[in-house]
Amino acid sequence: MSEVSDVEAVDSTDENAVPRLVDGVALLGEYEGGGYEEPRYLVSRADGQMVLVSPLLHEVASRFDGQRTLREVAERVNEDLGAELSAADVAFLVDRKLYPMGIATTSEPLPDPPRSDPLLSLVFNTQLLPPGFVRVAAAVFAPFYRPPVIALMLCLFVGVDVWLVMSGGIDAAFHRSVGDPVLMLTLMALWVFATMFHEFGHAAGCHYGGARPGGIGVGILVLYPAFYTNVTDAYRLDRRGRLRTDLGGIYFNAIFIVAMFGLYQVTGIPALVVFMVLNHLQILQQLLPLLRLDGYLILGDLVGVPNLFAFVGPVWRRMRGKPVDESAAMHQALRPRVQLLVTAWVLIVVPLLIIALTLLLIRLPFYLATGTAKAVEYGNVALSAGGHGNVGILLLAILSMLILLVPWVGGTAFAIRTGRRIAKAVRKARARRKPTARHRKHSGRWRPPTAA
């Protein structure tokens, strides 16, 4: 999710130029439940990216029909809104705002739309299930969101939790499962199935609200593999629909736990009890609003701000008493209560992440060395098990080797990405210190329309 920002103005204007929306762009209307003083409007690009724009940008873009000139668009906006835009103002909005964001253009070639590239994002991600298959599955699972079904499943989930606490068999189940190759393989398989079912929960919630889910994929989040579902289209829903989509994965975790309880009652496999406990831990992990997991998305939709990390810079700038610039104005555009909540999130979460990531970078070589040593040990175990025909131990050793080697890939990518960000920040800091750079920054510009 992106938001259009102000940039410098154009030098000359051809009033007869004809602006038009880029192919595949759709104006979706107001972003419902937003935490802004003024409403924000959603624009969907052909690549599936959603962009938030101001009311003025939305009004201007909504009058592009591929025939009206810049002057005619300005006249139409002034007539409808009582504004005082000139053709040059409309040209500024198109060429310096809508064009860079891949929304509208007056010339060729079309822009290469920018995409967000956050530090804490998935790397080496690839699609596992295509959108068509996911949409069919989402339609099948959508009835789980009917209110009576939700009430029944939550009651059953609470009942399973009571049984887990009162049964006293958790410790015995762990002792019986750990070290047994077959039961450990069962746990790994259940974990993969539960994670995929979690993703179908997001897709089904998106479908139930009236949006179209995309594909399901997998990537590496910092060090470990993570599944994801493309539910960007859910931004078109109201706050309730977006929260249903956000909570869908956790809700389907609860359904899967209930199903495993039923299977345990039939089979008595102790690994199922271990899995139910571990799946509760997965739910708690997902609820933490730290990385871009479910808890982060839930909090963002509760306060009406789709990208909380975008406010780290503005909050930090205001805390340092820096002059109000474009980024700080973005924070001030929020409602007072939302400003307070976003500021509190930044002041709590960002220091925790900085400390955690610093420790991770410091300890990363030791973790990778230990993981490599363990992978070598499992390789020897696999060779021994293969020689003795022990298929269970062989498969478990191979899977363990692969799991231990994944952090190498994620850790290396994270270290490279961090190094590039640091180098970029250093270059910017050096550029700001040069007098010529400061002179160029403030020369030859006029302020854009304040309502944009």
Side-chain angles (χ1 to χ4, degrees):
M1 171 68 71
S2 310
E3 186 166 1
V4 170
S5 58
D6 292 345
V7 292
E8 56 184 284
V10 294
D11 297 326
S12 61
T13 302
D14 177 8
E15 295 188 358
N16 294 319
V18 178
R20 63 183 178 86
L21 297 177
V22 174
D23 292 340
V25 165
L27 306 180
L28 302 181
E30 185 176 347
Y31 174 67
E32 298 189 38
Y36 300 87
E37 289 282 8
E38 283 190 328
R40 290 294 187 270
Y41 290 81
L42 280 170
V43 179
S44 172
R45 296 194 320 219
D47 60 0
Q49 184 90 351
M50 292 287 186
V51 182
L52 281 182
V53 299
S54 67
L56 179 58
L57 285 175
H58 180 266
E59 292 294 340
V60 169
S62 66
R63 286 158 178 81
F64 296 164
D65 61 359
Q67 298 180 351
R68 296 191 184 105
T69 64
L70 292 172
R71 178 175 53 80
E72 291 170 340
V73 170
E75 292 173 352
R76 181 61 64 91
V77 173
N78 293 339
E79 178 183 346
D80 294 344
L81 302 182
E84 297 181 357
L85 292 179
S86 66
D89 293 332
V90 177
F92 165 77
L93 296 176
V94 175
D95 294 337
R96 303 297 186 177
K97 290 191 174 186
L98 298 176
Y99 181 91
M101 297 301 294
I103 296 174
T105 182
T106 57
S107 61
E108 299 290 347
L110 296 179
D112 183 15
R115 298 189 67 87
S116 59
D117 184 27
L119 177 63
L120 301 176
S121 61
L122 291 171
V123 295
F124 303 109
N125 51 301
T126 184
Q127 183 173 276
L128 292 178
L129 300 176
F133 178 86
V134 173
R135 288 168 189 157
V136 171
V140 172
F141 291 127
F144 279 111
Y145 286 96
R146 293 174 181 170
V149 178
I150 292 177
L152 174 62
M153 288 299 168
L154 292 181
C155 288
L156 291 174
F157 177 66
V158 172
V160 171
D161 281 355
V162 172
W163 177 85
L164 283 172
V165 174
M166 301 298 293
S167 66
I170 295 177
D171 187 62
F174 269 92
H175 279 291
R176 292 178 59 189
S177 299
V178 174
D180 187 315
V182 175
L183 293 182
M184 292 300 293
L185 287 171
T186 301
L187 280 175
M188 290 183 179
L190 286 174
W191 191 267
V192 173
F193 282 124
T195 306
M196 289 296 295
F197 195 64
H198 172 103
E199 299 305 326
F200 280 119
H202 292 304
C206 179
H207 174 86
Y208 187 84
R212 288 168 59 85
I216 291 178
V218 65
I220 300 177
L221 182 61
V222 185
L223 292 179
Y224 298 103
F227 292 91
Y228 65 90
T229 306
N230 183 354
V231 289
T232 306
D233 198 52
Y235 280 114
R236 70 168 71 231
L237 305 178
D238 58 14
R239 178 180 292 175
R240 183 177 180 180
R242 296 196 302 270
L243 286 171
R244 182 192 298 114
T245 303
D246 298 338
L247 290 164
I250 294 172
Y251 171 49
F252 269 45
N253 278 133
I255 294 175
F256 203 85
I257 289 173
V258 171
M260 292 302 100
F261 172 77
L263 186 60
Y264 174 75
Q265 297 302 314
V266 175
T267 63
I269 300 175
L272 298 177
V273 176
V274 176
F275 167 79
M276 286 187 275
V277 175
L278 295 179
N279 214 219
H280 278 78
L281 297 178
Q282 185 184 34
I283 291 175
L284 293 176
Q285 175 202 15
Q286 287 287 337
L287 285 173
L288 293 176
L290 300 178
L291 302 179
R292 296 174 188 271
L293 300 175
D294 294 355
Y296 173 86
L297 300 174
I298 292 167
L299 180 61
D301 282 323
L302 283 174
V303 302
V305 178
N307 187 4
L308 290 169
F309 277 114
F311 291 88
V312 173
V315 170
W316 175 241
R317 187 174 181 85
R318 293 190 66 182
M319 294 294 293
R320 295 167 62 195
K322 294 290 185 179
V324 176
D325 65 351
E326 175 194 333
S327 64
M330 182 176 69
H331 182 249
Q332 291 178 338
L334 299 174
R335 295 172 185 155
R337 184 177 67 89
V338 178
Q339 283 189 34
L340 181 62
L341 292 172
V342 171
T343 302
W345 179 85
V346 170
L347 295 179
I348 294 172
V349 170
V350 173
L352 291 176
L353 284 177
I354 291 175
I355 293 172
L357 294 177
T358 301
L359 293 175
L360 174 62
L361 287 173
I362 293 173
R363 298 294 302 174
L364 186 59
F366 303 99
Y367 295 151
L368 296 181
T370 302
T372 303
K374 289 293 184 182
V376 172
E377 290 182 12
Y378 281 118
N380 294 329
V381 172
L383 291 175
S384 176
H388 292 83
N390 196 326
V391 178
I393 295 178
L394 174 63
L395 292 177
L396 182 60
I398 293 174
L399 288 175
S400 300
M401 288 172 57
L402 294 176
I403 293 173
L404 288 170
L405 291 177
V406 166
W408 261 107
V409 180
T412 302
F414 176 72
I416 293 174
R417 180 177 290 184
T418 303
R420 288 176 176 174
R421 297 297 177 89
I422 294 174
K424 184 178 180 180
V426 171
R427 287 195 299 269
K428 285 185 176 180
R430 289 178 176 174
R432 284 196 296 266
R433 294 192 186 100
K434 295 179 180 178
T436 55
R438 288 199 298 268
H439 175 73
R440 288 196 301 269
K441 182 177 180 181
H442 297 288
S443 63
R445 295 190 182 185
W446 52 276
R447 292 182 62 83
T450 55

